[in-house]
Amino acid sequence: MQQLLDGYKHFRSEVFPKRANLFEGLAEHQKPSTLFITCADSRVVPDMILQSNPGDLFICRNAGNIVPPYGETHGGVSATIEYAVMAVGVTNIILCGHSNCGAMKAVLSGKKHDTMPTVDSWLHHSHSALQLLDSEAPQHQRWTEKERLRALTRANVVSQLHNLRTHPSVAAGLTKGTLNIYGWVYEIHSGEIQSFNHVQGRFLSLDDHAPIPVTQPRLQLMAS
Ligand SMILES: [Zn+2]
């Protein structure tokens, strides 16, 4: 806790004064271009990874970067998406998974958690990713755990993109051409982001490939 309080003190005395104009400009309104949906994991820090500023990203975080299908759960994720698109007017939605994700490990293990019924209930929204893995890469049982986790993480991003498109605000934005959606995976150990390319059916490094908006989430899975 002390580390956090020291950080706040530093922010108040050193960081905020230097950027007072930015915060003054943001005090009454925001106009972020992008809704960034990612995992709650402490190692994923969107504003650090993308070097974005306050006001740039509208962020929604939860265990497993999950988007429940529209109508199934009228919860915080659905409300945040609707608000971001309809009221804030974002023009991009980036759904970003990450390496070594605890939520994906739990889904892959298939174990029930007696003491965490809410987690189990939440993670059932990722079972479609597991089904995708089983149907598209039935040989995955012979892969290493690391390879399976890597594939499931990517399948989950693609599955959640499908769910995202069931939300009326998103579907309308895609139809009108006012909204683009992207699926990313962030590699904690290297800092690299890979973006889903639906034409090739795989994830490509942002280091040498520009991201393309996803119009047809279809993934080809392989151990890599
Ligand atoms: Zn995670």
Side-chain angles (χ1 to χ4, degrees):
M1 185 67 183
Q2 192 54 48
Q3 187 188 346
L4 299 179
L5 295 175
D6 290 345
Y8 171 64
K9 206 168 160 185
H10 177 71
F11 173 73
R12 290 281 284 153
S13 61
E14 304 291 332
V15 179
F16 188 93
K18 286 183 187 143
R19 312 194 67 181
N21 286 344
L22 170 66
F23 289 108
E24 193 182 334
L26 290 171
E28 301 296 334
H29 70 274
Q30 63 169 338
K31 195 62 188 158
S33 64
T34 302
L35 167 62
F36 197 88
I37 302 171
T38 193
C39 187
D41 194 293
S42 66
R43 301 164 295 178
V44 180
V45 185
D47 282 326
M48 178 182 273
I49 300 165
L50 301 174
Q51 291 291 288
S52 43
N53 286 308
D56 289 345
L57 296 178
F58 202 78
I59 299 178
C60 178
R61 308 189 67 145
N62 65 69
N65 38 271
I66 284 165
V67 175
Y70 183 76
E72 196 170 317
T73 312
H74 288 298
V77 175
S78 301
T80 303
I81 291 166
E82 194 171 279
Y83 186 80
V85 175
M86 303 304 292
V88 178
V90 299
T91 51
N92 306 300
I93 299 178
I94 299 168
L95 194 141
C96 186
H98 69 97
S99 61
N100 197 245
C101 181
M104 291 304 101
K105 284 182 185 172
V107 172
L108 198 56
S109 78
K111 284 184 195 146
K112 287 269 170 241
H113 304 88
D114 292 340
T115 55
M116 296 190 286
T118 315
V119 171
D120 279 350
S121 171
W122 179 247
L123 292 182
H124 91 268
H125 293 300
S126 282
H127 284 177
S128 54
L130 204 50
Q131 285 173 3
L132 191 61
L133 190 61
D134 284 336
S135 63
E136 296 297 306
Q139 73 280 21
H140 76 86
Q141 297 288 357
R142 298 197 299 274
W143 297 353
T144 65
E145 281 303 294
K146 206 171 170 184
E147 287 168 340
R148 294 177 73 215
L149 183 61
R150 182 184 163 86
L152 179 70
T153 299
R154 282 154 179 75
N156 183 56
V157 167
V158 175
S159 287
Q160 302 311 325
L161 286 178
H162 273 290
N163 290 348
L164 185 60
R165 287 151 56 102
T166 66
H167 290 248
S169 57
V170 175
L174 292 171
T175 305
K176 286 187 290 181
T178 55
L179 184 69
N180 288 319
I181 62 174
Y182 302 87
W184 289 4
V185 172
Y186 171 64
E187 298 281 0
I188 292 169
H189 63 281
S190 65
E192 181 191 38
I193 290 172
Q194 295 175 355
S195 178
F196 179 59
N197 180 305
H198 66 273
V199 179
Q200 297 192 32
R202 62 196 181 110
F203 284 76
L204 302 173
S205 175
L206 275 191
D207 293 353
D208 27 54
H209 295 89
I212 60 168
V214 178
T215 56
Q216 194 57 257
R218 175 104 172 84
L219 177 65
Q220 291 174 6
L221 288 164
M222 58 194 90
S224 57

